Amino acid sequence: MNVSGLSLRDLEYAVAVAEENHFGRAAERCNVSQPTLSVQVRKLEEALGLVLFERGNRRVMLTPAGQSIVRQARTVLAEAQRLLVLASEGRGAPLTGRLVLAAIQTLGPYLFPLVLRTLRQEFPILSLALSEAKTAEILEGLRDGRVDAALISLPIPTSGLTVSPLFIEPFLLACPADHALAQGGALRATDIAGPDLLLLDEGNCLRDQAVAACGAGSAAGRHATSLETLRSMVAAGAGYTLLPALAVPAGADASGLTVTRGFDLDGPGRTIALAWRSSDPRASGLAHLASFFRAHAPAGTTAFRDDAPAGRDSVAEPV
C-alpha cells in the first residue's frame, strides 16, 4: 500500500471512534455527519486490509489489530501537530489548534466557570476540549497523548512531565450547624481526626490529602463518590468533611443546616499545578497558559510568583 492513500483526517476519525466507543459521538466531536465518518473509517479499514473495530448494537470496541493501529495513529497525528506547532512558533504565534485540558474532578467544575471567559479572550484561536477525571487517569492520558495539559494537585510523579505550580487552595471544614465543631476558637486540622470525618472514595487525591492533613487513619469515616454527595451527607447530619475553598459556595448556607469554617494560619490546603509532557513542542505556549492561571488565581487562593521555575515551589502571594 502507498502511504499517499492514507489521510490524517481518516486517522483522526479512527482515534475519535476508539476514544468515544461510539460512531455518533465521534462524528459530533469531529464535526461531521455519522454516515461520513462511518464511510471514511470503512475506507481506512479497506486500505489497511484490517478490521479496526468490532461493531455491536450499543458499543464499538477496538479489535486487537485496531489497538495497534490506533496507538500508531495517535503518534502520527501528534507528529503532524508538531509540524504545525513548529511553524506557528516560527511565526511567533501563541497556542493554536486543539488542546485537551483535563482537571481533577474536585477542581474542574469549580475553577473552569471562573476563568473560561478570560481564557478564551487570552487564547482566541485555541480550541479547548475540557475533561475531568481522577489523578491516575489524567496522568495516564498525559503520557499516552490523550491529554495535552492537566490541572492537578501536587505531589505527582513528574518523570517526563513539566509541572508548573499555580496556586495554593485552602481546605475548609463543612459540618452540621448543631455539631460541636461549628463553634469555638481557632480550628486546627488535628481537631477533625474523629469518627465523624467523611471522606471521598479511594482514588481521589483529596481523600489522601484530608487524611494526611488531620492525621486520621486511612479507613476513617464514611465515604462518598463526589464533593456534592459529601456536602449532602453533611447537611443530613452524617458527619463533617474537608472541602476545597473553590467548592464552597459564597455566603452562609441558606438552609441553615451546615456551617463552613476556616482553619488557623497553618491550616490544610493543596497546591494546584499545570502539568504537560516535557517533550511537547508547545512548551512556551503551555508555560504561557500556566502564567495565565497564576495571574487569574481565584480569590481566596494563594498564587505562586510567575517567575518561579517550573516544577519547583516558589514564594506564594495571597490573592
Side-chain angles (χ1 to χ4, degrees):
M1 175 186 175
N2 194 309
V3 293
S4 62
L6 291 176
S7 162
L8 290 177
R9 189 59 171 158
D10 290 347
L11 295 182
E12 287 181 335
Y13 291 160
V15 169
V17 174
E19 293 178 354
E20 299 292 341
N21 292 319
H22 192 277
F23 277 87
R25 290 193 298 270
E28 183 177 351
R29 167 174 153 180
C30 296
N31 295 315
V32 296
S33 67
Q34 181 173 338
T36 296
L37 182 139
S38 298
V39 167
Q40 292 306 120
V41 170
R42 286 283 191 190
K43 286 184 178 179
L44 177 63
E45 289 178 318
E46 293 171 2
L48 295 172
L50 296 170
V51 176
L52 303 181
F53 298 101
E54 180 181 334
R55 295 159 170 85
N57 291 332
R58 297 191 176 184
R59 189 178 179 188
V60 179
M61 297 175 57
L62 279 169
T63 63
Q67 293 176 8
S68 299
I69 294 297
V70 167
R71 189 181 306 117
Q72 187 61 33
R74 288 195 182 103
T75 300
V76 171
L77 292 171
E79 291 301 320
Q81 180 66 32
R82 184 185 293 262
L83 285 175
L84 298 178
V85 169
L86 290 173
S88 65
E89 288 187 344
R91 298 191 301 269
L95 279 177
T96 62
R98 187 172 185 265
L99 183 87
V100 179
L101 177 62
I104 52 176
Q105 294 167 326
T106 57
L107 175 68
Y110 313 104
L111 177 62
F112 285 148
L114 299 177
V115 299
L116 275 179
R117 177 180 294 276
T118 312
L119 182 60
R120 293 183 63 182
Q121 293 171 348
E122 182 78 8
F123 300 92
I125 55 177
L126 180 65
S127 176
L128 272 177
L130 304 178
S131 66
E132 297 168 8
K134 295 180 179 178
T135 300
E137 297 167 347
I138 289 176
L139 292 178
E140 182 181 352
L142 268 177
R143 298 186 192 285
D144 68 18
R146 289 179 290 113
V147 172
D148 298 312
L151 292 159
I152 43 78
S153 176
L154 299 182
I156 60 167
T158 58
S159 177
L161 299 177
T162 296
V163 179
S164 187
L166 305 177
F167 55 83
I168 296 173
E169 181 185 17
F171 294 151
L172 303 179
L173 173 73
C175 66
D178 58 356
H179 196 279
L181 290 174
Q183 300 178 3
L187 188 64
R188 297 170 300 177
T190 52
D191 294 337
I192 66 172
D196 290 342
L197 178 62
L198 305 174
L199 299 169
L200 288 175
D201 283 338
E202 293 281 356
N204 287 281
C205 58
L206 181 59
R207 170 196 172 89
D208 299 332
Q209 291 163 348
V211 168
C214 65
S218 59
R222 280 147 287 179
H223 306 153
T225 57
S226 70
L227 289 182
E228 299 311 311
T229 301
L230 276 181
R231 202 193 313 275
S232 296
M233 291 172 69
V234 171
Y240 52 80
T241 192
L242 284 178
L243 293 177
L246 297 184
V248 177
D253 177 12
S255 71
L257 295 174
T258 65
V259 169
T260 303
R261 295 188 60 194
F263 290 84
D264 58 21
L265 293 178
D266 296 321
R270 62 182 181 179
T271 299
I272 301 300
L274 185 72
W276 62 88
R277 289 181 301 281
S278 299
S279 59
D280 196 315
R282 298 169 292 182
S284 61
L286 290 165
H288 182 189
L289 182 62
S291 294
F292 167 87
F293 279 112
R294 275 191 292 274
H296 296 85
T301 66
T302 304
F304 280 82
R305 278 204 330 245
D306 197 47
D307 58 354
R312 291 176 173 267
D313 288 344
S314 61
V315 178
E317 301 171 349
V319 174

